[in-house]
Amino acid sequence: MEAQYPAHWEADVVLSDGGTAHVRPIRPADADRLRAFYSRLSEESIYFRFFGPRPRLSDREVTWFTTVDYVDRVALIATIGTEMVAVIRYDRIEPGEAEVAFLVEDAHQGRGVASVLLEHLAETARENGIARFVADVLPANQKMMAVLKQVGYTAQSRFADGVVRMTLDLTPTETAQEVTASREHRAESRSIERLLNPGSVAVVGAGREPGGVGQTVLRNLLGADFTGPVYPVHREARAVAGVRAYPSVTAIDGEVDLAVLAVPADGVIDVVKECAEKGVRGLVVVSSGFGETGPEGRARQDELVRIARAYGLRVVGPNCLGIANTDPAVRLNATLAATVPGRGRVGFFSQSGALGTALLQRVAQRGMGISSFVSAGNRADVSGNDLLQYWEEDPATDVILLYLESLGNPRKFARLARRISRRKPIVVVKSGGTTQNVPTGHAAPALGLPDTALSALFEQAGVIRVDDLIQQFDVAQLLAYQPLPAGPRVGLVSNSDALALLAVDACVSAGLEPRPPVNLGARAGAAEFGTALASLLPDVDAAVVIYMPPIPGRADEVAAELLRVSREGGKPVLATFEGKLGMPSELRGGAVPGQGSIPSYAAPEEAVRALAHVVRHARWRGQPAGTPVEIGDIDTAAARELVERLLDAPRDVPGERLPVEIEASELLARYGLTVWPSEVAGSPEEAVAAAERLGWPVVLKAADPEAAKRAGTVRLGLAGPDGVRDAFADLTRQLGPEAVLAVQRMVPQPAVPTVVSVVEDPAVGAVVSFGLGEVTARLLRDVAYRLAPLTREDAAALVESPRAAPLLFGEYGYPPVAVEALEDLLVRVGRLADDLPEVVRLDLDPVLVGESGVIVLGARAVLRSPAGPRPDDGPRRLS
């Protein structure tokens, strides 16, 4: 029987040049594929691998290389199309150590194939208990030595007997994680660059009749004056829209970089194979009839992505509007939208194909401009995460807009956004109202978290989340053309008392600090507005100018003066200028908006709302980025051993890996956290005996976690045996004779009850939540969330986020408590959650926070063996 391997050992990967490949374990059925691969190798590659000439592999060698047990002997191959292009393997030579070797076809060397294979093989080795790789390398084989040295693991080498023996410690290091992230960034960015900067475009399915999808894309390409050749593809027509047509993609004379597919869904797969044969580098599938139509369409969509990636192609769509790049050197409009905004500093990603045309029209109407645009439709392959990687390094993009209907890999999104938001603002509209809603056809898991948790994760990553598209564009036009404010102080200059008062109220509601407005009166002109703004700017962080003259006529003069003063002041200025919306020509200072152009809003409240979002983002950016906290008194290895032992314990159902619920004090002890001791009592006398052992005074309470949530199930301050007996009888009457009660020593100081929890979400990973334990706070679900692990800054923000948090800081008659100790507990819980994906639920309830420290009164956990690695953990892979 052929040995089996875990499903997560297979992956699609992006190579360093932006192409794709498939990584999977080798199988006996790969014998002929291995022979063909070997026949294409140069003599030098063979010599470096086998230390001598070996023109061919014997049948015995082929069997040996393709038959492995996936434990002591593992081999992974990279395939493009149906061909093997690389192989890497390890063979265990002693406990914890294995010999590694790899071989890459000469035509694919330099594409990063070996590096990504080494990442995946190291992960499989760690899963099989291997801690070190050793490799014997000829001194002349500099490429192999470079791959082994540059992967980021601790490496040692020594020279003996004519070879260099290299040893790699496979323990994950921060350097290895940084190397992997850097390679991922370059590869994914390059894959999008290939799509947005094509040298030529083929439109497959461009019909002769006007109004068809294919011809619309073709005419828009021609109308935008795309800088490269455009090739219509039609089985019968000799010309479409006046351009020579070809019967197939393979019949095109020149090279094709990008293909736009507008053919019926059942014909797309055949066209993809044609494109692969032609050497096309990317696909935009505007055709519908895929995942949005149901299970059959979803199967067709999965097959589309599988084949495209197998042949090295990235796919935008299906069921999408298309892509655009306003770079004058490209001028690409491969969309169904006739109107694409002019050149600007904003990158725009939309998952909705249906909304895309309207969105582009709105941006154009505002005069805002974009750098590039991608409509992902069903988002079967290319996602918002890919665009983040590209826009991070794109010098033409300063602001990133995302319209999201689902999140494919939220954990990766948070990682990327947290890094990118430090340099480029990200403004998101997440539709649906709840994280459980995933549109039909989208390749995305549902999140098991409330929408408030998603908002908190956006906040943690520095992402500006807004409620709708109007707010998104309002915020974007301020970010694109004005500097960030240094604080919340807002100056107001107006020629209308009523509008100025509305602006003041809006500032207060948004948490800004308005200064008394300067009202210039209805007759004020350019000089008055300029003088007022110039005198105001030194003492504020931003200014809102309201110019609504009763009789129009001097707008150009006022606008010119506002532009002059704002540019000299170096602080953000925004306006309500004659009720105009966007970037009106008067406030641009040129034909197109540029840095220093003043954005205008239809009403002052809208201007203030946009400013408030930007002030909060600037405050986040001004805080330290934070780094993972080094904690000395934790024992992760012992915690893992404990979890594995508990999961491996005998079960009622043999072979089932069911969740295991535990009392978590032993697990928390591995992370330096102590649970206040308690004892279960089955009778009044057992309760008295427990109290004698624990020390007086004591508390008697319901031991069952669900029963404990009910009001009135705790008896406090029991100082003697009679009190314990009376309380036991009282609680038994209330909860029933079968109730299980617990005795716990009374906390010696007044304290604020809080609740700390962890949930392992299948899409996001470990999420830490925090709230106060008062009944009202629980009923209102006043809970804050952060993604694990937590920095000190994350923990501080988590404590301050609940609406009831002032109770921890000495307000409303409560004494100030040990917030720093609470933050330390949160950091430790976050570390536990990040280290142990087997902990799918952890509840510390309650955690009492007193003046001198924290006391955990109860802790329970649910453990379950993970089905595979967390999203975004482990080696690089496409979602």
Side-chain angles (χ1 to χ4, degrees):
M1 182 177 175
E2 186 176 325
Q4 301 295 309
Y5 56 82
H8 66 266
W9 285 10
E10 290 203 38
D12 294 319
V13 297
V14 183
L15 305 178
S16 60
D17 63 356
T20 59
H22 186 68
V23 173
R24 65 168 174 83
I26 204 166
R27 299 188 286 257
D30 292 317
D32 289 340
R33 191 173 279 111
L34 176 61
R35 290 188 183 95
F37 162 73
Y38 197 83
S39 70
R40 298 191 298 270
L41 297 173
S42 67
E43 293 181 359
E44 181 183 68
S45 292
I46 293 172
Y47 180 82
F48 282 156
R49 170 64 178 89
F50 295 105
F51 295 6
R54 188 173 298 196
R56 59 180 296 274
L57 295 175
S58 68
D59 291 344
R60 182 177 180 182
E61 288 172 323
V62 169
T63 300
W64 171 255
F65 287 139
T66 57
T67 306
V68 294
D69 61 10
Y70 305 119
V71 179
D72 295 324
R73 298 180 62 245
V74 174
L76 304 178
I77 63 173
T79 61
I80 297 178
T82 60
E83 301 292 340
M84 178 193 304
V85 299
V87 61
I88 190 170
R89 63 185 308 109
Y90 77 70
D91 294 89
R92 195 189 301 262
I93 52 180
E94 60 179 68
E97 186 170 284
E99 186 173 12
V100 65
F102 56 83
L103 194 52
V104 180
E105 184 179 332
D106 295 69
H108 295 278
Q109 291 178 11
R111 302 185 65 200
V113 183
S115 298
V116 74
L117 281 175
L118 184 56
E119 289 177 24
H120 282 261
L121 190 70
E123 183 73 13
T124 64
R126 284 191 291 266
E127 290 182 25
N128 287 329
I130 292 172
R132 293 177 305 282
F133 277 163
V134 296
D136 290 331
V137 188
L138 289 174
N141 193 355
Q142 294 294 317
K143 290 181 180 178
M144 181 171 180
M145 283 192 281
V147 169
L148 295 173
K149 289 178 180 178
Q150 293 170 7
V151 74
Y153 298 122
T154 303
Q156 297 178 336
S157 60
R158 60 182 177 86
F159 181 78
D161 300 325
V163 300
V164 178
R165 167 151 286 208
M166 299 190 67
T167 303
L168 291 184
D169 183 342
L170 299 183
T171 303
T173 65
E174 185 175 338
T175 300
Q177 293 171 351
E178 291 173 354
V179 168
T180 298
S182 176
R183 287 172 171 169
E184 172 197 65
H185 167 67
R186 291 195 302 270
E188 294 180 1
S189 174
R190 178 60 179 149
S191 74
I192 300 303
E193 183 182 7
R194 287 164 36 136
L195 290 166
L196 288 172
N197 293 273
S200 56
V201 180
V203 181
V204 187
R208 287 175 287 195
E209 294 185 7
V213 172
Q215 188 176 115
T216 299
V217 174
L218 176 65
R219 289 187 179 276
N220 290 340
L221 274 166
L222 298 174
D225 194 21
F226 175 61
T227 55
V230 178
Y231 304 110
V233 176
H234 191 280
R235 299 298 182 192
E236 299 174 358
R238 300 183 63 181
V240 178
V243 181
R244 178 190 172 186
Y246 295 82
S248 67
V249 177
T250 52
I252 295 172
D253 300 329
E255 293 184 355
V256 178
D257 293 328
L258 177 69
V260 182
L261 276 55
V263 299
D266 56 6
V268 165
I269 300 299
D270 290 337
V271 177
V272 171
K273 293 177 180 177
E274 265 190 44
C275 291
E277 183 181 349
K278 178 64 180 176
V280 175
R281 301 164 76 180
L283 303 173
V284 175
V285 183
V286 296
S287 308
S288 58
F290 289 88
E292 77 281 2
T293 64
E296 183 178 345
R298 182 54 188 265
R300 186 184 297 120
Q301 179 172 301
D302 292 343
E303 181 70 359
L304 160 66
V305 174
R306 186 190 68 79
I307 292 176
R309 287 179 175 177
Y311 283 96
L313 303 170
R314 298 302 306 272
V315 178
V316 176
N319 190 34
C320 72
L321 183 74
I323 64 176
N325 184 353
T326 62
D327 185 344
V330 182
R331 298 197 296 271
L332 175 72
N333 179 13
T335 76
L336 294 169
T339 301
V340 170
R343 189 66 169 162
R345 309 297 300 174
V346 176
F348 189 13
F349 173 85
S350 170
Q351 279 182 226
S352 171
L355 270 178
T357 300
L359 299 181
L360 290 176
Q361 287 176 344
R362 287 188 182 183
V363 174
Q365 289 167 358
R366 286 179 177 242
M368 193 163 65
I370 60 172
S371 58
S372 49
F373 167 79
V374 173
S375 161
N378 292 359
R379 199 187 44 73
D381 179 25
V382 169
S383 70
N385 288 341
D386 295 300
L387 270 299
L388 287 179
Q389 299 274 33
Y390 171 73
W391 281 322
E392 180 179 10
E393 298 300 331
D394 179 27
T397 301
D398 292 333
V399 180
I400 297 168
L401 305 186
L402 304 176
Y403 175 79
L404 303 177
E405 294 176 342
S406 62
L407 285 169
N409 189 336
R411 189 175 176 87
K412 181 176 180 178
F413 175 85
R415 171 172 60 86
L416 297 180
R418 195 166 191 168
R419 182 183 77 216
I420 296 167
S421 292
R422 291 283 168 187
R423 295 176 52 224
K424 298 184 178 184
I426 301 171
V427 188
V428 170
V429 175
K430 168 64 176 72
S431 68
T434 170
T435 55
Q436 286 84 4
N437 289 346
V438 178
T440 303
H442 283 221
L447 278 67
L449 299 170
D451 192 63
T452 52
L454 184 61
S455 292
L457 300 184
F458 281 149
E459 179 185 347
Q460 184 182 8
V463 172
I464 302 170
R465 185 183 187 181
V466 295
D467 295 331
D468 53 49
L469 292 164
I470 293 175
Q471 289 186 40
Q472 186 176 49
F473 298 144
D474 284 349
V475 174
Q477 65 186 30
L478 176 56
L479 289 167
Y481 302 111
Q482 289 289 316
L484 292 178
R489 300 173 302 166
V490 181
L492 299 165
V493 178
S494 176
N495 62 355
S496 166
D497 275 339
L499 293 178
L501 289 175
L502 287 175
V504 170
D505 290 344
C507 285
V508 173
S509 298
L512 302 178
E513 299 174 9
R515 296 297 181 258
V518 178
N519 184 33
L520 302 176
R523 295 181 177 274
E528 290 83 1
F529 269 93
T531 300
L533 182 59
S535 63
L536 196 70
L537 281 177
D539 299 320
V540 297
D541 301 303
V544 176
V545 178
I546 302 170
Y547 177 67
M548 296 289 286
I551 303 175
R554 293 181 290 176
D556 289 346
E557 297 174 8
V558 174
E561 185 66 7
L562 294 177
L563 281 169
R564 182 190 68 79
V565 175
S566 69
R567 286 170 176 168
E568 291 176 357
K571 294 179 180 179
V573 175
L574 53 167
T576 293
F577 194 83
E578 297 186 316
K580 295 178 180 179
L581 178 61
M583 308 300 299
S585 57
E586 303 95 322
L587 294 174
R588 293 180 187 175
V592 296
Q595 193 63 33
S597 298
I598 297 175
S600 179
Y601 301 83
E605 304 97 308
E606 295 171 7
V608 169
R609 182 177 59 188
L611 178 60
H613 281 294
V614 175
V615 167
R616 287 190 290 271
H617 175 71
R619 183 188 304 129
W620 176 87
R621 204 188 270 198
Q623 296 169 349
T627 56
V629 181
E630 293 295 329
I631 309 173
D633 58 339
I634 67 172
D635 192 341
T636 303
R640 286 200 177 100
E641 290 176 6
L642 173 63
V643 168
E644 289 171 3
R645 185 171 73 249
L646 292 168
L647 287 172
D648 289 338
R651 306 295 173 84
D652 294 335
V653 183
E656 288 279 351
R657 302 289 281 178
L658 298 173
V660 178
E661 185 172 355
I662 63 168
E663 197 282 325
S665 58
E666 189 177 357
L667 178 61
L668 290 173
R670 305 295 195 272
Y671 283 83
L673 298 172
T674 301
V675 178
W676 200 251
S678 66
E679 295 186 20
V680 174
S683 67
E685 297 311 314
E686 288 183 10
V688 170
E692 295 285 357
R693 288 189 294 271
L694 293 170
W696 303 92
V698 297
V699 171
L700 189 66
K701 60 184 181 179
D704 177 69
E706 291 303 315
K709 294 178 182 178
R710 294 166 54 184
T713 57
V714 180
R715 299 294 182 269
L716 303 173
L718 306 177
D722 290 342
V724 169
R725 293 186 184 100
D726 292 343
F728 196 100
D730 187 28
L731 283 174
T732 301
R733 283 192 299 272
Q734 179 181 345
L735 299 174
E738 304 300 323
V740 179
L741 304 182
V743 182
Q744 196 165 41
R745 187 182 176 190
M746 183 81 176
V747 174
Q749 59 180 353
V752 178
T754 65
V755 180
V756 176
S757 297
V758 169
V759 172
E760 178 72 20
D761 186 88
V764 177
V767 177
V768 181
S769 64
F770 170 75
L772 271 70
E774 303 283 0
V775 172
T776 303
R778 292 177 188 264
L779 288 174
L780 295 177
R781 297 181 181 178
D782 184 16
V783 180
Y785 301 85
R786 288 295 184 274
L787 195 65
L790 304 181
T791 64
R792 292 289 182 194
E793 292 77 11
D794 290 333
L798 193 56
V799 171
E800 295 169 1
S801 293
R803 296 189 296 276
L807 299 182
L808 299 168
F809 295 90
E811 298 188 27
Y812 302 103
Y814 280 70
V817 297
V819 171
E820 288 186 3
L822 176 59
E823 292 171 0
D824 180 73
L825 178 142
L826 289 167
V827 168
R828 292 172 184 272
V829 169
R831 175 67 180 274
L832 182 156
D834 190 56
D835 287 344
L836 304 173
E838 297 86 353
V839 179
V840 297
R841 179 86 195 187
L842 175 65
D843 292 301
L844 280 59
D845 185 8
V847 177
L848 299 185
V849 190
E851 296 180 25
S852 60
V854 296
I855 297 174
V856 181
L857 293 187
R860 300 195 67 79
V862 177
L863 311 178
R864 183 170 55 211
S865 297
R870 280 173 171 153
D872 200 39
D873 279 0
R876 287 173 281 162
R877 65 177 61 230
L878 284 168
S879 300

